[in-house]
Amino acid sequence: MNKKNKNNFTNDQLLKFYEKMFLIRKFEEKAAQLYGAGKIGGFCHLYIGQEAVVIGILSSINSEDTVITAYRDHGHILARGVDPKLVMSELTGRKDGISKGKGGSMHMFSKANRFYGGHGIVGAQVPLGVGIGFAHKYRNEKKISRVYLGDGAMSNGQVFEAFNLASLWELPVLFIIENNKYGMGTSIGRSAAGGELYERATVFGIKGEKVDGMNFFNVSESAIRAREYIEKNSKPYIIEMDTYRFRGHSMSDPGLYRTKDEVNKMKEIDPVLMMKETLLNDYKIQEETIKNVESDIKKQIKDVEKFSLESPLPDLKELYTEVYL
Amino acid sequence: MKILLPALSPTMETGNLVKWLVKEGDSVVSGDILAEIETDKATMELESPDDGKVEKILVKEGTENISVNTEIALLRVDGEEIEEISEKPIEKSPQVSSNGSEQPATELKISMNSLLNQTKENSDEKNWSEKEISMREALNKAIEEEMEYDKDVFLLGEEVAEYDGAYKVTQGLLDKFGSKRVLDTPISEHGFTGLAIGAAMAGLKPVCEFMTFNFSMQAIDQIVNSAAKSLYMSGGEINVPIVFRGPNGAAARVGAQHSQCFISWFSHIPGLIVIAPSNARDAKGLLKSSIRNPNPVVFLEHELLYKEKTNVPEENDFLIPIGKGNLIKEGKDVTIIGFSMSVQRILNALPSINKLGISPDIIDLRSIKPLDEELIYKSVKKTNRVVIVEDGFGNTSFGSHLSYLIQSNCFDFLDSEIIKVSGKDVPMPYAENLEKLALPNTDEIVSAVKKVSYIN
Ligand SMILES: Cc1ncc(C[n+]2csc(CCOP(=O)(O)OP(=O)(O)O)c2C)c(N)n1
Ligand SMILES: [Mg+2]
């Protein structure tokens, strides 16, 4: 277990990060239940197992920084601070959803929280994120555009066009590959030729590294290193996160492409449990304190569920609104 | 806490309880596997939603056709009161389908199958040996037979091989033909589509699957600029014998970026053949003809039709010619035209139309391009009234073009305006009520029929 805390977070800060990770975990477990009960429809891609990535990155984020990702976005929008009630109500397709029930699990956005979605076409968010970085530079804003993509997306052509542009035009973009080892049922070894994924960006002159994405502290350190590099050099940077999803690709994935053993092995380095153990053992945070945080979250999730089921369906006239401004 | 039979896919309505992996009294933690459930697509594991003890098992293993949301067990969650067991019997019949069609799937099936049985279009009078199978199986058979028939046919796409297909259409093909002819691709649509077109130029016959046609947009340049135009640009030198296939249109609540019908897009392009079957029989016969065709064919399937069954000839020389529509129901008062999913929507509306005392001709186009104009005009000249039903956006749609063709070829025969019932011109919303409203529905079809018939 990593005991280093090079970033000198206080115990209170660390507890806050743990709280966020725990919130994502419990939120996703509830989403799975509601999906099973038919309250959530369509596709629903859970973030369970990858919590340390988004919260580790969050620890380096300036609140002005922008974030964009693909369809596995519940954890991302929660990390950005959007009210879980609005997120769950989007999943249940209700009026109070963050996209008024019109987007669904894959399409959530919040300009106020600098979250640009929520995109369903693999790879498409990457040029968009580079464009957001372009806007930051154009306006002389001190912001970094954070662009998440999967290991599967790393074989999508537009991603490489985006790398080239970001490097050529020296844009403030942090690319984060969430390498959870599979794109649906295809393991990374069966989809990507050559060496490490992040090296596919380094050939465009983008500096990068690979990091243990199951460990909050490692993620956080590399994220802070990346932010310093981008700010100092006004150039893009890429981090490949070694991570894992514990659940199926979406809710309808029987998961026959990997063994039970493999999943169970990875569960031994569950990022949420590891973070908790580190806080208990290395930071001597009281068990009681952590229990309180957890039970508050559990209570909150009950309210979130209730809210998301009581919120009415969208008004029928919403069908025609917001096609144009 | 009640454990309900969960919905384990966007289209699941019932499931079979294959096996319990826990027994009454067992302690479980959140995420433990409680049971194996067989869905419309696969066998899935049911995970415990919380920590606790298995209090009671309410549905025996081996039970089939359990409706989603049936109570199957009770879990005593640590620190929670036991809930009452409601003595609700297990419902055997499927619920109203979740896709917004108003009738149970089984009724649709029967009517489609019986209509097809009445209108066997085979002029060669061959006595096929038939078996009732789903469209999913029919497509699978078609690919399998053509791969056996022609060694140059190969299949590529995302998850088509080891995963058995995202929608299980290509199940078993890897085992049968091996990884040289059944290839899983990376998520590189633009690249693998171009590769497939190149291979076709060099004489192979690729079947290029898009996991859904939404992702064909990544490859639209290769389809339009390379596949469709090469024969013409080369003065007949280079043909492109390829089939692009996969589900098209709106499935069930998968949102704006995953729910678009591209029939109008592809039928706009000279050089492409466009096919959109509504049932298993046509799917098999037309896919086989498409694979044998020397041109690029865009073969548009529909996820919600994959499970629907009809009688399908088992012989491997069963082909349905491209360019032939099918008059699936003969009437006299109005011509209703559909294709793919919209045929099912028309059949859903049929009882209400019959109740009005109206007997329609129902034409399933099957082939969008080339179009069976003769069949359409013959019907219109008899009925003098036309309703067109299409799932895609109404603006600049295939239905718009069709109504142009009908008015210019049958002008003197029309007794009324032509009415087109299309998908609404909005990106597909996620919310259940809005999605239903966005797609053509029974009420809209019935009122269109009333309007062209001057009934108030
Ligand atoms: C262009 C495109 N092709 C195919 C799909 C279907 N699809 C959705 S997710 C996915 C796998 C993506 O894997 P990865 O990028 O590793 O992300 P992860 O799901 O692991 O988070 C595929 C093939 C899609 N959404 N977009
Ligand atoms: Mg992945």
Side-chain angles (χ1 to χ4, degrees), chain A residues 36 91 120 155 185 190 252 260 314, chain B residues 6-7 45 159 184 188 257 430 433:
Chain A
L91 269 53
S155 291
R190 296 203 301 118
S252 46
K260 274 245 151 55
Chain B
E45 289 172 337
E159 310 291 355
D184 277 328
S188 313
Q257 292 184 328
Y430 165 72
N433 59 340

Side-chain angles (χ1 to χ4, degrees), chain A residues 45 50 71-72 120-122 149-153 156 178 180 182-184 245 249, chain B residues 158 187 189 211 215 218 258:
Chain A
H45 310 86
Q50 302 179 210
Y71 44 83
R72 199 177 297 286
I121 304 300
V122 166
L149 66 159
D151 47 282
N156 185 266
E178 297 198 69
N180 60 10
Y182 296 91
M184 274 186 84
R245 65 170 156 69
H249 166 73
Chain B
E158 291 156 19
I187 310 169
E189 285 85 359
M211 190 179 283
F215 315 138
Q218 298 273 313
H258 286 75

Side-chain angles (χ1 to χ4, degrees), chain B residues 261-265 267-268 274 337-339 365 367-372 376 388-390 392-405 420 422:
Chain B
C261 172
F262 293 98
I263 282 173
S264 303
W265 283 59
S267 61
H268 183 64
V274 183
I337 305 173
F339 42 89
L365 291 179
S367 174
I368 306 298
K369 195 177 195 175
L371 183 65
D372 193 348
I376 298 166
I388 299 165
V389 187
E390 59 180 356
F393 304 132
N395 196 35
T396 348
S397 69
F398 175 71
S400 310
H401 176 62
L402 187 55
S403 76
Y404 160 76
L405 285 176
K420 190 177 68 142
S422 310

Side-chain angles (χ1 to χ4, degrees), chain A residues 33 36-37 41-42 90-91 101-102 106-107 120-121 155-156 183-186 190 247 251-253 260 314 319-320, chain B residues 6-10 43-45 47 49 69 159 162-163 184 188 211 218 253-254 257-258 424 426 430-431 433:
Chain A
Q33 275 175 41
E90 190 57 39
L91 269 53
K102 291 158 86 168
M106 298 188 286
H107 308 304
I121 304 300
S155 291
N156 185 266
M184 274 186 84
T186 303
R190 296 203 301 118
R247 299 293 182 104
M251 298 303 294
S252 46
D253 173 12
K260 274 245 151 55
L319 182 66
Y320 291 103
Chain B
L8 294 165
S9 84
T43 299
M44 305 272 299
E45 289 172 337
E47 295 179 353
N69 275 337
E159 310 291 355
E162 292 194 13
Y163 199 79
D184 277 328
S188 313
M211 190 179 283
Q218 298 273 313
R253 300 190 64 199
V254 291
Q257 292 184 328
H258 286 75
K424 312 300 177 294
V426 301
Y430 165 72
N433 59 340

